[in-house]
Amino acid sequence: MTKNKQKKALITGITGQDGSYLSELLLKKGYKVYGLIRKTSNSNLDNLSHIQNELNLIYGDLLDPVSLVEVFRKTGKVDEVYNLGAFSLPGLSFKIPTYTANVTGLGAHRLFEAVRQYSPKAKVYQASSSELFGWIKEQPQTEETPFNPANPYAASKLYAHTIAQIYRRGYGMFIACGILFNHESPRRGFGFVTQKVAYAAACAKLGIRNSRHLNEEGEPIVKKGKVALGNMEAVRDWGFSKDYVEAMWLMLQQKKPDDFVIATGKLKSIKDLCETAYSHVGLNWEDYVFIDERFMRPTETGPLVGDASKAKKILKWEAKLTFEELIALMVDTNIARLK
């Protein structure tokens, strides 16, 4: 009896929170895991430091099709490809829109073409986003809800999502798209509001009045004991990244490629986020938060809240960690780091 061949997977965006949790999952399942990293990512391997020796990291860039060909020359044919690579800051995408489009939209297209030519039997996961729904047409949003992007990041994701479907139908490729709603973790970057608030609450708990980490404007996230935020009424459907990467893997274990909304189905506002984070450390958020017009988006999406019934029925997936448990985990992790 022959042993099962070890599966090979390639992950773009492996240094991010999703890439690191997905790497852990695939390693536990016995995969040989390859990760695409850019030269600029070399100093940003914190999320992978505990498993780095088990990974096969390869330099490449979604902006450069020649480097993608080289990646497949090194890996050979792979079984699964997870495209998590993107410039994924919707607010900041207004400031660098063409770069966002090049990485997030055309970058996905370049990868699909490289897979088509050099590993056509690979199953591909494309990270789509709830931002596709933008100025929403209905609530909650399902796989059938019309897309209506409200920022350059979302428009770029829509291009990638559409090209994925064109390659699926036109070339018979297995490309599944996960329309993931907001998902967070202690590994989230400081450009995201959940991590910013969790970090600020940790600073408040420890009495740190001027933080070491900086915000998008190059200023301390916590300055004179307070954190600057934008629209407090904005609402999102927030889940846990570790739960969501399991859904990515499940999509590629199906017989046919399809699109799935992955969400908790529960809406929370930025105000709810602040209240949850600061109350976890016994403080009143209103004493530590102020509104800064610089962090207001030119356009606001939502309310974005997903209906993951299809994923529950077909993938047997549903979110495990609650919003309150997630924010508590993020605050506690930041406290431990700051200590």
Side-chain angles (χ1 to χ4, degrees), residues 207-253:
I208 296 170
R209 291 187 55 77
N210 294 287
S211 67
R212 181 168 60 89
H213 290 93
L214 307 178
N215 61 26
E216 302 95 302
E217 297 294 329
E219 300 166 356
I221 291 173
V222 174
K223 190 175 181 181
K224 296 180 181 177
K226 295 197 173 187
V227 60
L229 298 177
N231 181 9
M232 299 298 290
E233 304 305 321
V235 287
R236 293 290 185 272
D237 178 335
W238 276 300
F240 182 32
S241 172
K242 192 172 182 178
D243 290 344
Y244 285 37
V245 300
E246 185 181 0
M248 298 176 188
W249 178 77
L250 286 168
M251 287 179 213
L252 298 198
Q253 311 317 305

Side-chain angles (χ1 to χ4, degrees), residues 30 52 108 138 280 306:
Q52 190 175 338
E138 64 184 28
H280 179 65

Side-chain angles (χ1 to χ4, degrees), residues 231-278:
N231 181 9
M232 299 298 290
E233 304 305 321
V235 287
R236 293 290 185 272
D237 178 335
W238 276 300
F240 182 32
S241 172
K242 192 172 182 178
D243 290 344
Y244 285 37
V245 300
E246 185 181 0
M248 298 176 188
W249 178 77
L250 286 168
M251 287 179 213
L252 298 198
Q253 311 317 305
Q254 306 306 304
K255 290 183 178 178
K256 293 181 180 178
D258 206 345
D259 303 332
F260 293 91
V261 162
I262 302 298
T264 70
K266 295 176 182 176
L267 268 180
K268 299 288 182 181
S269 68
I270 305 294
K271 192 180 289 184
D272 294 328
L273 167 64
C274 292
E275 190 172 353
T276 302
Y278 281 90

Side-chain angles (χ1 to χ4, degrees), residues 93-113:
S93 73
F94 282 100
K95 296 185 178 180
I96 43 176
T98 54
Y99 175 78
T100 301
N102 203 357
V103 175
T104 307
L106 289 172
H109 194 163
R110 294 182 192 103
L111 181 66
F112 299 155
E113 183 59 25

Side-chain angles (χ1 to χ4, degrees), residues 201 205 273-284 324-325 327-333 335:
K205 173 68 174 176
L273 167 64
C274 292
E275 190 172 353
T276 302
Y278 281 90
S279 64
H280 179 65
V281 292
L283 298 170
N284 179 6
E324 290 74 18
E325 290 168 338
I327 302 307
L329 174 63
M330 293 176 70
V331 173
D332 289 342
T333 304
I335 290 173

